[in-house]
Amino acid sequence: MAIEHSGAMTSPALPLVMLFLLARSSAALPAQPAMDSVRWQVDKVNRRGPSLGLVMSYVDEATALQSSGYFSPWPVLPFLDLYGRRFHIGSIRGVNVIYALTGQRRLNAAVTVQTLIDVFTVSGIVHYGTAGSSNDSMSFGDVSVPKLVAYTGAWTWKKFKSSKESSAELSFGEYNIPNGGENLLGSLKYRNEELYSVGKPMKEVFWLPVDSEWFKIAEQLKVTLERCNDTFCLPATPQIVYGLKGSSADMFLDNAEYRNFLFREFGVSTVDEESAAVVMTTTSPGIPVIVFRGVSDLAGGEPIWSSTSLMNLASINALKVAVEFIATVGTQKSRASAERSNN
């Protein structure tokens, strides 16, 4: 603004200012040799052939993978650090895999998945982790394979005494104690997401589907889930549950009434912070995606055991299903490739 409106700065000073700003910007970028090294390493990874991207959000979920023995690091280049995240390069059951810990909530999840898609040659994204249950029919340690997920953290916060526009609105007055009524906080109207897809106009959506072909493959999996960890054993062996709905929001849900609201209004069975972001980021370019979430807590329901103790077991079970899925997809691709070679 000083350059345009002050007569104190003459025009010969403008190039000096621009040079100063460019110098400061260049100092923030990696040196050219470092950039060349990263490109060379990425090219080396991609020359292995396509990989499956595997993402998880919590450290405990990544620890479950690291201690399981499922993942074999690539001895040539076991990891690559990009944009503050470490991308581990290797294989699971003979299938090329690149896995990364995203961090919590949707921005971290979306950035990590977008990096995987943009930088590496990935044929799909597998997402596993833990979740809270909003469905009383699901038990601790169960693994949900949702068919649809939604982001339920985008709202229009309506004025006091605004008329109701849809059935799925959260009216604060209904939760007044003891008898409900009106509340100055008004109500929340849930908003759609804007989905931008390759070759298609922008579309407003609420529900985001996982890949239909991958979901069919997942339905055929035979996995015995773990009932015990180092702390205790569950009363019954957990199960894999298919085709339910999941929701994500940038908050940890620990409220029974809101948990019940989500199940009643949207049919949501699991709640987490990242699944919708992972699915939406992969849906835009049309890359297959699947989600596996192990139940670790009741999202505000009556606790029976410590959710901290159960997180380990829920992570292990979600990982077991994800690993079996990766192996099955890899076998099918190998079989298809062999058939093409024979024809």
Side-chain angles (χ1 to χ4, degrees):
M1 295 297 290
I3 295 173
E4 292 183 7
H5 299 292
S6 173
M9 183 173 287
T10 60
S11 57
L14 182 58
L16 294 176
V17 172
M18 296 303 295
L19 285 171
F20 174 73
L21 293 175
L22 286 172
R24 286 180 62 89
S25 299
S26 299
L29 296 174
Q32 187 60 40
M35 290 296 293
D36 290 342
S37 175
V38 169
R39 292 191 187 99
W40 176 79
Q41 290 174 324
V42 168
D43 288 342
K44 177 180 284 190
V45 173
N46 288 336
R47 282 196 294 270
R48 296 194 313 158
S51 298
L52 288 176
L54 179 64
V55 293
M56 70 293 297
S57 307
Y58 282 85
V59 172
D60 285 353
E61 297 162 357
T63 300
L65 174 60
Q66 293 160 359
S67 61
S68 68
Y70 292 131
F71 184 79
S72 299
W74 191 36
V76 176
L77 185 63
F79 62 85
L80 190 56
D81 292 332
L82 291 170
Y83 310 121
R85 289 174 172 82
R86 176 156 292 185
F87 294 84
H88 300 262
I89 301 143
S91 62
I92 291 177
R93 303 270 187 92
V95 181
N96 285 348
V97 168
I98 301 172
Y99 87 81
L101 175 66
T102 67
Q104 299 174 42
R105 290 176 285 281
R106 70 170 177 166
L107 182 58
N108 278 326
V111 167
T112 307
V113 172
Q114 193 68 56
T115 302
L116 272 168
I117 293 170
D118 288 345
V119 174
F120 300 103
T121 304
V122 294
S123 55
I125 299 292
V126 178
H127 177 43
Y128 80 91
T130 58
S133 170
S134 54
N135 182 345
D136 288 334
S137 68
M138 294 196 70
S139 302
F140 290 111
D142 286 352
V143 175
S144 174
V145 189
K147 202 168 188 177
L148 298 168
V149 295
Y151 183 70
T152 53
W155 313 313
T156 296
W157 202 309
K158 300 174 65 176
K159 295 179 180 178
F160 178 52
K161 291 190 176 181
S162 294
S163 58
K164 196 169 186 177
E165 300 174 56
S166 68
S167 59
E169 288 188 11
L170 177 62
S171 175
F172 290 97
E174 294 178 6
Y175 296 91
N176 287 350
I177 295 176
N179 299 318
E182 295 181 341
N183 190 298
L184 290 174
L185 287 174
S187 60
L188 301 178
K189 178 186 175 183
Y190 288 78
R191 301 181 63 178
N192 294 335
E193 293 289 283
E194 295 181 349
L195 177 63
Y196 292 84
S197 301
V198 176
K200 299 178 183 178
M202 186 277 288
K203 182 180 179 182
E204 288 196 2
V205 298
F206 187 76
W207 294 109
L208 296 158
V210 301
D211 184 80
S212 58
E213 292 302 314
W214 273 20
F215 183 80
K216 290 177 184 176
I217 294 172
E219 284 186 301
Q220 306 305 313
L221 298 177
K222 306 296 183 185
V223 184
T224 301
L225 301 182
E226 298 296 328
R227 188 170 72 89
C228 303
N229 63 13
D230 294 337
T231 308
F232 58 85
C233 289
L234 294 168
T237 301
Q239 304 296 316
I240 308 174
V241 185
Y242 297 98
L244 301 180
K245 296 177 180 178
S247 77
S248 301
D250 286 337
M251 61 182 179
F252 183 85
L253 177 54
D254 191 21
N255 184 278
E257 290 302 322
Y258 189 60
R259 163 190 187 267
N260 294 335
F261 172 85
L262 288 175
F263 179 71
R264 183 176 66 252
E265 298 296 336
F266 299 114
V268 164
S269 293
T270 55
V271 293
D272 63 65
E273 300 177 37
E274 299 85 17
S275 293
V278 173
V279 174
M280 188 168 182
T281 306
T282 53
T283 299
S284 290
I287 292 177
V289 63
I290 193 85
V291 174
F292 304 102
R293 286 281 183 169
V295 174
S296 62
D297 63 88
L298 294 178
E302 286 298 323
I304 302 173
W305 297 288
S306 165
S307 60
T308 303
S309 300
L310 281 166
M311 189 169 185
N312 167 261
L313 187 58
S315 297
I316 290 171
N317 281 342
L319 173 63
K320 285 191 74 171
V321 183
V323 165
E324 194 62 33
F325 175 83
I326 289 169
T328 302
V329 169
T331 300
Q332 291 190 0
K333 285 187 176 182
S334 298
R335 189 182 300 126
S337 178
E339 290 174 355
R340 285 195 297 271
S341 300
N342 293 331
N343 291 335

